[in-house]
Amino acid sequence: MTARIGVVTFPGSLDDRDTQRAIRLAGAEPVALWHKDKDLKQVDAVVLCGGFSYGDYLRAGAIARFSPVMDTVIEQARAGLPVLGICNGFQILTEAHLLPGAMLGNDHLHFICRDQKLRVENASTAWTSDYEQGQEIHIPLKNMDGRYVADRYTLDKLEAEGRVAFRYLDFNPNGSLNDIAGITNEAGNVVGLMPHPEHAVEPLIGTGRTDGLPFFTSILKKLVNA
């Protein structure tokens, strides 16, 4: 049976179709989910895609966190459902307290769009197992509120438990503490990152590489072997 991965669309989402395409390229079935529906349609995993949900009013992700679909996502994520938050999705995951910390405006106060070099720090999560620990990859990045912050206790805990999933290399594009580009929860089923792997799944788009595809093949292999 084909694995089914839901992609949530909020008002202001931009990358839902790109994410669905990436899922399809990996060999899974993308399932469109609407923010007003609590029904996840029996999907095996969920992706919260990038964009500017609700226009980033109040704070990026702050309103989307209260969408009806998030009630179910939060409940099922805590029960083990794999959830990936990309860019705005990462912001929503922090607002929903499925991941610790918060996202603030870039330290240079400008929107940034670039190909970003990352190092894979944790290759054992549901979304990163097709990478090698320490692997260096290039993923497109585009954000205005991408600065990851947390109190010192939380940062030390993330580092000590190996829960920093990705780290910026060569250049910190937004002032994120500890050069953090992505993190995971304790169970490894929830991952959030600011760069956009769905834009690096074919050689003709994005970085011209396919460094983002392992996100989607990782979860597919986990679901198939579960």
Side-chain angles (χ1 to χ4, degrees):
M1 186 172 67
T2 303
R4 304 172 75 247
I5 302 177
V7 179
V8 179
T9 298
F10 299 93
S13 294
L14 298 178
D15 300 303
D16 42 357
R17 296 295 181 90
D18 302 70
T19 304
Q20 291 174 23
R21 178 173 176 79
I23 291 168
R24 194 175 295 110
L25 285 172
E29 176 188 350
V31 178
L33 300 175
W34 184 236
H35 71 111
K36 285 189 175 182
D37 297 331
K38 288 192 174 185
D39 181 10
L40 298 185
K41 301 180 181 179
Q42 297 182 314
V43 296
D44 303 298
V46 167
V47 180
L48 305 179
C49 65
F52 301 91
S53 59
Y54 293 91
D56 279 352
Y57 286 107
L58 300 182
R59 289 184 310 275
I63 300 178
R65 173 263 177 272
F66 292 102
S67 289
V69 71
M70 288 303 299
D71 291 340
T72 313
V73 170
I74 291 169
E75 178 185 359
Q76 294 199 20
R78 288 174 175 163
L81 180 75
V83 178
L84 174 65
I86 302 170
C87 195
N88 190 225
F90 186 10
Q91 296 160 343
I92 295 169
L93 290 176
T94 61
E95 291 288 339
H97 304 298
L98 287 174
L99 292 175
M103 311 302 300
L104 299 181
N106 298 341
D107 59 352
H108 46 74
L109 303 181
H110 294 286
F111 181 85
I112 188 167
C113 182
R114 57 173 277 134
D115 292 342
Q116 180 65 47
K117 188 176 182 180
L118 307 174
R119 182 172 60 238
V120 180
E121 302 282 27
N122 186 330
S124 62
T125 78
W127 300 92
T128 60
S129 61
D130 254 6
Y131 290 108
E132 297 292 333
Q133 196 84 12
Q135 183 178 348
E136 296 182 1
I137 61 177
H138 291 79
I139 302 289
L141 174 83
K142 51 177 185 175
N143 64 69
M144 181 68 190
D145 300 291
R147 176 162 54 112
Y148 180 77
V149 298
D151 61 80
R152 178 49 55 186
Y153 173 80
T154 300
L155 288 172
D156 290 346
K157 184 177 174 66
L158 289 173
E159 297 286 3
E161 296 178 354
R163 289 170 54 196
V164 176
F166 297 90
R167 209 180 302 271
Y168 296 117
L169 289 184
D170 297 343
F171 173 73
N172 186 325
N174 44 41
S176 290
L177 297 181
N178 291 22
D179 297 327
I180 290 174
I183 61 174
T184 179
N185 67 343
E186 293 181 9
N189 64 303
V190 179
V191 171
L193 80 160
M194 286 310 296
H196 287 260
E198 77 280 9
H199 295 328
V201 295
E202 295 179 288
L204 291 178
I205 61 172
T207 59
R209 302 157 62 119
T210 58
D211 291 0
L213 193 58
F215 275 90
F216 306 101
T217 56
S218 292
I219 189 60
L220 179 58
K221 288 181 180 178
K222 176 177 177 57
L223 294 173
V224 168
N225 295 326

